[in-house]
Amino acid sequence: MDNIEVMISTEELYARIAELGKQISEDYKGKTVKMICVLKGGIYMLTELSKSISEDVKVQLDFMAVSSYGSEQVSSGIVKIIKDLDEPIEGQDVLIVEDIIDSGNTLSYLENILWDRKPNSIAVCTLLDKPSRRVVDVDVKYCGFQVPDVFVLGFGLDVDQNYRNLPYIGRMKE
Ligand code: IMP
Ligand code: MG
């Protein structure tokens, strides 16, 4: 698209997600992993990642929707649960799948809620990380790419609910 500059191509995304899938397959070999997708942005990452996990791992999916922003492009620090998980996670190995970690507010809030439900473990996998913007310290075990402090879109990431379906990560041209 004319007004969008590609930052990470489709090929690069798929290659890196496959690597993460391989790593997760080794780490969870013989176990069951409950992948929790943070809607809506996480769905593209969740589907690609889950398909690249080996059959030696049992994969279960659940979904949660939280909102941290409204339509602002800056984190408000206020996180709201819009849709909760369908099933309990007690005793399970949970893998939170995110599109991007920016301030860390969303993830840190989510992890607190989920720990209260007594899972066996919680790990985090994010497609993108913007470490320069971190406000709250969060432990990210699996990260696709680090990105600079620019507003990115595509592969699940939106600008006012648009552009999530682009098969690459891009940014608006100035
Ligand atoms: P955090 O709570 O500040 O870490 O923000 C996390 C959420 O903000 C992500 O799950 C995204 O929905 C959104 N977000 C943060 N940075 C961007 C961006 O560059 N583009 C699109 N959405 C973003
Ligand atoms: Mg968003």
Side-chain angles (χ1 to χ4, degrees):
M1 243 183 282
D2 286 356
N3 56 337
I4 295 170
E5 177 193 333
V6 177
M7 293 171 69
I8 307 171
S9 71
T10 306
E11 291 71 24
E12 289 174 296
L13 287 173
Y14 284 179
R16 181 68 185 128
I17 294 171
E19 281 177 6
L20 290 175
K22 209 172 157 204
Q23 210 182 323
I24 291 167
S25 303
E26 283 160 18
D27 294 352
Y28 290 88
K29 194 169 179 183
K31 294 186 182 172
T32 299
V33 63
K34 170 69 69 76
M35 297 178 81
I36 294 181
C37 174
V38 185
L39 295 169
K40 304 168 184 152
I43 56 169
Y44 291 81
M45 179 60 172
L46 177 90
T47 49
E48 278 320 307
L49 183 66
S50 59
K51 286 186 288 176
S52 61
I53 294 176
S54 126
E55 289 168 25
D56 298 334
V57 181
K58 273 197 183 149
V59 174
Q60 299 182 354
L61 310 178
D62 207 343
F63 298 84
M64 196 151 182
V66 294
S67 162
S68 53
Y69 280 8
S71 61
E72 301 295 312
Q73 294 191 351
V74 246
S75 179
S76 60
I78 299 163
V79 179
K80 201 169 72 179
I81 294 190
I82 295 169
K83 185 222 172 289
D84 206 340
L85 298 175
D86 291 339
E87 284 137 19
I89 53 169
E90 189 172 343
Q92 299 183 348
D93 293 307
V94 165
L95 181 62
I96 301 176
V97 180
E98 264 280 22
D99 52 357
I100 189 166
I101 299 165
D102 188 26
S103 68
N105 280 325
T106 310
L107 186 61
S108 125
Y109 176 85
L110 205 63
E111 280 198 85
N112 283 336
I113 298 178
L114 295 182
W115 274 122
D116 284 346
R117 302 180 186 185
K118 303 188 171 48
N120 182 52
S121 66
I122 298 182
V124 175
C125 181
T126 186
L127 177 61
L128 305 177
D129 187 12
K130 264 189 213 174
S132 60
R133 302 246 315 164
R134 199 72 91 251
V135 175
V136 189
D137 196 29
V138 284
D139 184 19
V140 181
K141 187 154 186 203
Y142 309 99
C143 170
F145 300 87
Q146 292 200 344
V147 289
D149 183 11
V150 295
F151 205 76
V152 294
L153 53 87
F155 217 83
L157 292 144
D158 70 300
V159 179
D160 288 343
Q161 299 304 326
N162 296 312
Y163 304 114
R164 292 192 197 273
N165 62 312
L166 299 183
Y168 52 82
I169 297 292
R171 63 187 287 185
M172 300 303 263
K173 284 182 186 161
E174 307 275 296

